[in-house]
Structure formats: C-alpha cells, structure tokens
Amino acid sequence: MPLSGEAIRTMNYVDDISVTLRRILAVLPSLTEEERQRVAEHIKHADPSYDSVIAAVSGKK
C-alpha cells in the first residue's frame, strides 16, 4: 500500500530531526562541561520530547 503525502511529509520531518541531532553531536566536543550540562538539561525539558512522540506513534500515549 502506498504512503499518503502526510506520511511521507512526516518521515521528512524525521529526517530533518536526524540532521539536527547530527549537528548537535558535531558541536558537543567544542562545548565546555558546563555548557554540555546546560544543553542536556534543555533537551531533557523540551516538550514534546522524542520519547513522547515515539509513544504517540506506537499508540502507547
């Protein structure tokens, strides 16, 4: 069964997220320990979180 345009668009969003995560990983070595901790806290408190999206996609909301 072919994917809908909305499903393809959503998969493209996932690709965009992957690019962003690669950029974050690339810059981490240049940050101080304190900066990495602050970035980590910022990611932990981001809403919606990656985990909440996975739960919603899996139907475990």
Side-chain angles (χ1 to χ4, degrees), residues 3-56:
L3 290 175
S4 68
E6 199 61 35
I8 293 168
R9 195 170 9 269
T10 302
M11 291 171 69
N12 287 334
Y13 293 150
V14 171
D15 293 341
D16 293 344
I17 292 166
S18 293
V19 168
T20 301
L21 292 173
R22 280 194 294 275
R23 289 177 180 160
I24 291 169
L25 288 173
V27 78
L28 287 179
S30 68
L31 300 179
T32 67
E33 181 61 32
E34 180 183 340
E35 289 172 325
R36 284 194 301 274
Q37 288 298 323
R38 290 183 73 177
V39 170
E41 286 301 313
H42 189 73
I43 291 169
K44 287 177 189 173
H45 297 294
D47 188 41
S49 69
Y50 186 78
D51 290 334
S52 69
V53 173
I54 292 297

